[in-house]
Amino acid sequence: RTIVTGSIDTTCVLWDLRMGRELHRLKFGNTVGSVQLGQNTARSAHAAQVWVAARDRSIYKYLASSMQQIEYATDFGVVNARLEGGEARVTRVQCVESDVLLSGDDEGVVKMWNI
């Protein structure tokens, strides 16, 4: 089992619960307000994505197996590993389906992204 955590110390950590150890650690420029393991149909942690809201204007996507930032397609074309959400800081992310991501910002706006 794998989980991901985010912290006010600006880190995002991917954990292996069976082994009780840290797999990967990322450092951001801001508090990590929300993290989410992406839905996947393979039910494998190695196939999962990690979505991060680091209290800036972007949403970041990483491959869980390596924690490398990856490009992905959105409704607006291919984005280099982040969604530009607007002027407000993104504070929450939530995967609701394998191809839908919700984000919330500090102005109370919720957006639905086709990922």
Side-chain angles (χ1 to χ4, degrees):
R1 292 184 50 100
T2 305
I3 64 167
V4 63
T5 59
S7 175
I8 61 171
D9 72 357
T10 73
T11 61
C12 173
V13 179
L14 188 70
W15 300 91
D16 180 329
L17 290 180
R18 288 193 178 120
M19 300 297 288
R21 66 183 180 94
E22 179 180 307
L23 297 173
H24 299 284
R25 177 181 294 259
L26 296 173
K27 185 107 171 132
F28 289 85
N30 295 304
T31 296
V32 176
S34 181
V35 293
Q36 175 78 48
L37 277 175
Q39 303 275 342
N40 64 64
T41 55
R43 297 283 184 214
S44 166
H46 297 291
Q49 301 88 33
V50 176
W51 295 90
V52 179
R55 294 194 179 267
D56 59 14
R57 293 179 36 233
S58 300
I59 301 168
Y60 301 89
K61 182 181 182 184
Y62 295 86
L63 187 61
S65 61
S66 63
M67 289 304 271
Q68 290 182 324
Q69 251 186 334
I70 54 177
E71 290 184 349
Y72 53 94
T74 70
D75 293 340
F76 308 106
V78 174
V79 178
N80 186 15
R82 63 189 218 169
L83 296 174
E84 291 290 339
E87 295 302 315
R89 295 179 303 160
V90 179
T91 58
R92 295 283 297 163
V93 288
Q94 177 73 44
C95 292
V96 291
E97 293 181 16
S98 62
D99 61 348
V100 177
L101 181 77
L102 298 177
S103 67
D105 66 32
D106 61 0
E107 293 179 351
V109 175
V110 175
K111 294 184 180 180
M112 183 167 48
W113 304 88
N114 183 12
I115 48 174

